[in-house]
Structures are given as C-alpha cells and as structure tokens.
Amino acid sequence: LHEPFVGGMGSYSVLILVISHIQHCKDKNASLESLFVSFFEFYGKQFNWITTGISILNGGEYFSKEKRGGAFE
C-alpha cells in the first residue's frame, strides 16, 4: 500500500477514498470504529474499481468511468 511505484496506493488516493467514504456515510454519528470497518467492507468487497470513479466535489459522487472517457484496467 505504501509503495505506489510497484502497484500500491499513494497517500493522495487514500485521502480521496477516506473523504468520499465520510461524504457517503449515512449515519452522521457513526463511531470511528464503525467507519473504519465499513470503509474496508465497501472498498474491499463492494466497490467496482474498474468501472466506477470517485469525485469528492459538491458533496461527492460515484460515476461511470465509461461515460467519462473509458474504463481503465
């Protein structure tokens, strides 16, 4: 995770994921523990990295990469 040049994610990418997750959290009074668990549950098991992009502008949204210029593998 800490070596982006060999396939990991950089700190900027991780920060965008955390911000997006907090923006989409339905329970505004969630504990840090529940946010941590739901973060890994969502991005590790549910989120489709190949077809879906993340934006944190204007409250955050998920979008189709195909509609914005193509999915990348």
Side-chain angles (χ1 to χ4, degrees):
L1 183 64
H2 68 287
E3 296 178 349
F5 53 89
V6 293
M9 293 178 63
S11 59
Y12 181 74
S13 300
V14 174
L15 181 63
I16 295 299
L17 292 176
V18 169
I19 291 170
S20 176
H21 187 66
I22 291 170
Q23 286 176 329
H24 288 91
C25 180
K26 294 183 183 358
D27 181 8
K28 299 302 177 189
N29 296 318
S31 68
L32 187 57
E33 177 185 2
S34 66
L35 283 171
F36 188 73
V37 170
S38 65
F39 175 87
F40 287 109
E41 176 74 27
F42 180 70
Y43 289 115
K45 294 183 176 181
Q46 299 172 2
F47 190 77
N48 187 337
W49 297 92
I50 295 174
T51 61
T52 309
I54 298 171
S55 173
I56 59 171
L57 298 175
N58 302 320
E61 69 171 339
Y62 299 118
F63 60 88
S64 168
K65 289 182 179 179
E66 187 175 344
K67 291 181 181 176
R68 287 207 185 168
F72 304 100
E73 292 188 37

